[in-house]
mmCIF file of all heavy atoms in Angstrom:
data_model
loop_
_atom_site.group_PDB
_atom_site.id
_atom_site.type_symbol
_atom_site.label_atom_id
_atom_site.label_comp_id
_atom_site.label_asym_id
_atom_site.label_seq_id
_atom_site.Cartn_x
_atom_site.Cartn_y
_atom_site.Cartn_z
ATOM 1 N N VAL A 2 254.682 56.294 50.094
ATOM 2 C CA VAL A 2 255.863 56.100 49.251
ATOM 3 C C VAL A 2 256.171 57.357 48.439
ATOM 4 O O VAL A 2 257.325 57.767 48.324
ATOM 5 C CB VAL A 2 255.670 54.892 48.313
ATOM 6 C CG1 VAL A 2 256.814 54.792 47.321
ATOM 7 C CG2 VAL A 2 255.544 53.609 49.105
ATOM 8 N N HIS A 3 255.151 57.989 47.892
ATOM 9 C CA HIS A 3 255.371 59.187 47.073
ATOM 10 C C HIS A 3 255.981 60.316 47.897
ATOM 11 O O HIS A 3 256.850 61.040 47.420
ATOM 12 C CB HIS A 3 254.074 59.648 46.409
ATOM 13 C CG HIS A 3 253.553 58.663 45.398
ATOM 14 N ND1 HIS A 3 254.188 58.433 44.204
ATOM 15 C CD2 HIS A 3 252.479 57.835 45.425
ATOM 16 C CE1 HIS A 3 253.528 57.510 43.529
ATOM 17 N NE2 HIS A 3 252.488 57.128 44.249
ATOM 18 N N ASP A 4 255.529 60.434 49.141
ATOM 19 C CA ASP A 4 256.065 61.472 50.021
ATOM 20 C C ASP A 4 257.533 61.199 50.335
ATOM 21 O O ASP A 4 258.357 62.121 50.329
ATOM 22 C CB ASP A 4 255.239 61.542 51.303
ATOM 23 C CG ASP A 4 255.598 62.740 52.157
ATOM 24 O OD1 ASP A 4 255.685 63.861 51.602
ATOM 25 O OD2 ASP A 4 255.793 62.556 53.370
ATOM 26 N N GLU A 5 257.870 59.928 50.588
ATOM 27 C CA GLU A 5 259.262 59.555 50.859
ATOM 28 C C GLU A 5 260.157 59.845 49.651
ATOM 29 O O GLU A 5 261.259 60.360 49.799
ATOM 30 C CB GLU A 5 259.359 58.074 51.238
ATOM 31 C CG GLU A 5 258.825 57.770 52.624
ATOM 32 C CD GLU A 5 259.637 58.427 53.726
ATOM 33 O OE1 GLU A 5 260.888 58.392 53.669
ATOM 34 O OE2 GLU A 5 259.026 58.991 54.645
ATOM 35 N N LEU A 6 259.666 59.501 48.458
ATOM 36 C CA LEU A 6 260.440 59.770 47.246
ATOM 37 C C LEU A 6 260.651 61.260 47.042
ATOM 38 O O LEU A 6 261.739 61.696 46.669
ATOM 39 C CB LEU A 6 259.759 59.160 46.022
ATOM 40 C CG LEU A 6 259.904 57.653 45.867
ATOM 41 C CD1 LEU A 6 259.054 57.165 44.697
ATOM 42 C CD2 LEU A 6 261.349 57.269 45.658
ATOM 43 N N ARG A 7 259.617 62.039 47.298
ATOM 44 C CA ARG A 7 259.714 63.491 47.161
ATOM 45 C C ARG A 7 260.774 64.039 48.112
ATOM 46 O O ARG A 7 261.608 64.875 47.734
ATOM 47 C CB ARG A 7 258.359 64.135 47.429
ATOM 48 C CG ARG A 7 258.317 65.613 47.136
ATOM 49 C CD ARG A 7 256.912 66.198 47.273
ATOM 50 N NE ARG A 7 256.206 65.792 48.471
ATOM 51 C CZ ARG A 7 256.416 66.300 49.702
ATOM 52 N NH1 ARG A 7 257.341 67.216 49.879
ATOM 53 N NH2 ARG A 7 255.713 65.883 50.725
ATOM 54 N N LYS A 8 260.789 63.540 49.345
ATOM 55 C CA LYS A 8 261.780 63.976 50.323
ATOM 56 C C LYS A 8 263.190 63.564 49.905
ATOM 57 O O LYS A 8 264.137 64.331 50.050
ATOM 58 C CB LYS A 8 261.461 63.388 51.702
ATOM 59 C CG LYS A 8 260.259 63.999 52.360
ATOM 60 C CD LYS A 8 259.997 63.336 53.700
ATOM 61 C CE LYS A 8 258.756 63.886 54.361
ATOM 62 N NZ LYS A 8 258.494 63.203 55.641
ATOM 63 N N LEU A 9 263.315 62.359 49.378
ATOM 64 C CA LEU A 9 264.624 61.887 48.941
ATOM 65 C C LEU A 9 265.148 62.720 47.778
ATOM 66 O O LEU A 9 266.304 63.138 47.768
ATOM 67 C CB LEU A 9 264.547 60.411 48.543
ATOM 68 C CG LEU A 9 265.855 59.765 48.103
ATOM 69 C CD1 LEU A 9 266.918 59.858 49.189
ATOM 70 C CD2 LEU A 9 265.617 58.319 47.718
ATOM 71 N N TYR A 10 264.292 62.990 46.791
ATOM 72 C CA TYR A 10 264.710 63.822 45.658
ATOM 73 C C TYR A 10 265.067 65.237 46.114
ATOM 74 O O TYR A 10 266.011 65.830 45.614
ATOM 75 C CB TYR A 10 263.627 63.874 44.584
ATOM 76 C CG TYR A 10 263.497 62.597 43.796
ATOM 77 C CD1 TYR A 10 262.274 61.962 43.655
ATOM 78 C CD2 TYR A 10 264.605 62.010 43.187
ATOM 79 C CE1 TYR A 10 262.146 60.783 42.929
ATOM 80 C CE2 TYR A 10 264.496 60.837 42.470
ATOM 81 C CZ TYR A 10 263.266 60.231 42.346
ATOM 82 O OH TYR A 10 263.156 59.077 41.633
ATOM 83 N N ALA A 11 264.320 65.759 47.084
ATOM 84 C CA ALA A 11 264.630 67.095 47.600
ATOM 85 C C ALA A 11 265.993 67.104 48.277
ATOM 86 O O ALA A 11 266.786 68.030 48.086
ATOM 87 C CB ALA A 11 263.541 67.533 48.578
ATOM 88 N N ALA A 12 266.280 66.060 49.046
ATOM 89 C CA ALA A 12 267.581 65.966 49.715
ATOM 90 C C ALA A 12 268.701 65.814 48.698
ATOM 91 O O ALA A 12 269.746 66.454 48.806
ATOM 92 C CB ALA A 12 267.582 64.791 50.689
ATOM 93 N N MET A 13 268.494 64.975 47.684
ATOM 94 C CA MET A 13 269.501 64.766 46.654
ATOM 95 C C MET A 13 269.798 66.055 45.902
ATOM 96 O O MET A 13 270.941 66.306 45.531
ATOM 97 C CB MET A 13 269.054 63.687 45.664
ATOM 98 C CG MET A 13 269.062 62.281 46.214
ATOM 99 S SD MET A 13 270.701 61.612 46.472
ATOM 100 C CE MET A 13 271.231 61.361 44.785
ATOM 101 N N SER A 14 268.789 66.866 45.688
ATOM 102 C CA SER A 14 268.981 68.111 44.939
ATOM 103 C C SER A 14 269.871 69.098 45.692
ATOM 104 O O SER A 14 270.413 70.020 45.099
ATOM 105 C CB SER A 14 267.644 68.755 44.605
ATOM 106 O OG SER A 14 267.044 69.310 45.761
ATOM 107 N N LYS A 15 270.044 68.896 47.003
ATOM 108 C CA LYS A 15 270.884 69.785 47.807
ATOM 109 C C LYS A 15 272.352 69.353 47.793
ATOM 110 O O LYS A 15 273.205 70.068 48.302
ATOM 111 C CB LYS A 15 270.361 69.840 49.240
ATOM 112 C CG LYS A 15 268.992 70.486 49.327
ATOM 113 C CD LYS A 15 268.480 70.511 50.733
ATOM 114 C CE LYS A 15 267.079 71.129 50.756
ATOM 115 N NZ LYS A 15 266.495 71.144 52.072
ATOM 116 N N LEU A 16 272.624 68.197 47.210
ATOM 117 C CA LEU A 16 273.994 67.707 47.129
ATOM 118 C C LEU A 16 274.706 68.297 45.915
ATOM 119 O O LEU A 16 274.070 68.665 44.938
ATOM 120 C CB LEU A 16 274.001 66.173 47.018
ATOM 121 C CG LEU A 16 273.319 65.388 48.119
ATOM 122 C CD1 LEU A 16 273.391 63.903 47.812
ATOM 123 C CD2 LEU A 16 273.922 65.690 49.475
ATOM 124 N N GLN A 21 276.497 63.552 44.346
ATOM 125 C CA GLN A 21 275.489 62.719 43.687
ATOM 126 C C GLN A 21 276.153 61.603 42.895
ATOM 127 O O GLN A 21 275.719 60.447 42.944
ATOM 128 C CB GLN A 21 274.612 63.572 42.765
ATOM 129 C CG GLN A 21 273.686 64.519 43.509
ATOM 130 C CD GLN A 21 272.874 65.382 42.571
ATOM 131 O OE1 GLN A 21 272.584 64.991 41.440
ATOM 132 N NE2 GLN A 21 272.494 66.560 43.027
ATOM 133 N N LEU A 24 277.514 58.941 45.274
ATOM 134 C CA LEU A 24 276.420 58.116 45.801
ATOM 135 C C LEU A 24 275.935 57.117 44.756
ATOM 136 O O LEU A 24 275.615 55.965 45.089
ATOM 137 C CB LEU A 24 275.248 58.987 46.262
ATOM 138 C CG LEU A 24 275.433 59.729 47.578
ATOM 139 C CD1 LEU A 24 274.209 60.576 47.877
ATOM 140 C CD2 LEU A 24 275.715 58.779 48.724
ATOM 141 N N GLN A 25 275.866 57.531 43.507
ATOM 142 C CA GLN A 25 275.433 56.617 42.451
ATOM 143 C C GLN A 25 276.412 55.455 42.298
ATOM 144 O O GLN A 25 276.000 54.303 42.179
ATOM 145 C CB GLN A 25 275.283 57.365 41.123
ATOM 146 C CG GLN A 25 274.084 58.282 41.100
ATOM 147 C CD GLN A 25 274.023 59.123 39.843
ATOM 148 O OE1 GLN A 25 274.880 59.031 38.968
ATOM 149 N NE2 GLN A 25 273.002 59.954 39.743
ATOM 150 N N TYR A 29 274.319 52.373 43.621
ATOM 151 C CA TYR A 29 273.727 51.733 42.446
ATOM 152 C C TYR A 29 274.691 50.802 41.723
ATOM 153 O O TYR A 29 274.282 49.789 41.175
ATOM 154 C CB TYR A 29 273.158 52.780 41.487
ATOM 155 C CG TYR A 29 272.062 53.575 42.133
ATOM 156 C CD1 TYR A 29 272.198 54.937 42.357
ATOM 157 C CD2 TYR A 29 270.883 52.965 42.557
ATOM 158 C CE1 TYR A 29 271.199 55.670 42.979
ATOM 159 C CE2 TYR A 29 269.876 53.683 43.186
ATOM 160 C CZ TYR A 29 270.052 55.029 43.388
ATOM 161 O OH TYR A 29 269.069 55.754 44.011
ATOM 162 N N LYS A 58 273.691 64.654 54.951
ATOM 163 C CA LYS A 58 272.578 65.473 54.448
ATOM 164 C C LYS A 58 271.342 64.619 54.176
ATOM 165 O O LYS A 58 270.230 64.988 54.532
ATOM 166 C CB LYS A 58 272.977 66.203 53.163
ATOM 167 C CG LYS A 58 273.956 67.316 53.367
ATOM 168 C CD LYS A 58 274.303 67.970 52.034
ATOM 169 C CE LYS A 58 275.362 69.031 52.179
ATOM 170 N NZ LYS A 58 275.705 69.645 50.898
ATOM 171 N N ILE A 59 271.555 63.455 53.546
ATOM 172 C CA ILE A 59 270.433 62.581 53.204
ATOM 173 C C ILE A 59 269.782 62.011 54.454
ATOM 174 O O ILE A 59 268.553 61.918 54.538
ATOM 175 C CB ILE A 59 270.914 61.420 52.290
ATOM 176 C CG1 ILE A 59 271.421 61.958 50.959
ATOM 177 C CG2 ILE A 59 269.806 60.403 52.068
ATOM 178 C CD1 ILE A 59 270.383 62.541 50.060
ATOM 179 N N ILE A 62 266.820 63.431 56.211
ATOM 180 C CA ILE A 62 265.505 63.170 55.635
ATOM 181 C C ILE A 62 265.027 61.768 55.984
ATOM 182 O O ILE A 62 263.911 61.569 56.426
ATOM 183 C CB ILE A 62 265.538 63.332 54.095
ATOM 184 C CG1 ILE A 62 266.057 64.719 53.710
ATOM 185 C CG2 ILE A 62 264.180 63.052 53.481
ATOM 186 C CD1 ILE A 62 265.194 65.860 54.169
ATOM 187 N N ARG A 63 265.889 60.772 55.766
ATOM 188 C CA ARG A 63 265.511 59.386 56.050
ATOM 189 C C ARG A 63 266.766 58.524 56.163
ATOM 190 O O ARG A 63 267.780 58.844 55.576
ATOM 191 C CB ARG A 63 264.592 58.839 54.958
ATOM 192 C CG ARG A 63 265.207 58.789 53.577
ATOM 193 C CD ARG A 63 264.226 58.411 52.501
ATOM 194 N NE ARG A 63 263.667 57.101 52.649
ATOM 195 C CZ ARG A 63 264.228 55.985 52.196
ATOM 196 N NH1 ARG A 63 265.381 56.041 51.582
ATOM 197 N NH2 ARG A 63 263.635 54.833 52.359
ATOM 198 N N VAL A 65 269.512 55.756 55.466
ATOM 199 C CA VAL A 65 270.024 55.216 54.202
ATOM 200 C C VAL A 65 270.785 53.932 54.496
ATOM 201 O O VAL A 65 271.583 53.887 55.427
ATOM 202 C CB VAL A 65 270.972 56.223 53.519
ATOM 203 C CG1 VAL A 65 271.591 55.627 52.268
ATOM 204 C CG2 VAL A 65 270.226 57.508 53.189
#
Side-chain angles (χ1 to χ4, degrees):
V2 173
H3 294 291
D4 189 48
E5 287 295 316
L6 284 174
R7 188 174 46 78
K8 288 179 183 178
L9 182 58
Y10 287 127
M13 289 289 289
S14 72
K15 294 179 182 178
L16 303 178
Q21 290 178 28
L24 285 178
Q25 288 174 0
Y29 298 116
K58 289 179 184 179
I59 296 291
I62 304 297
R63 62 187 297 274
V65 175

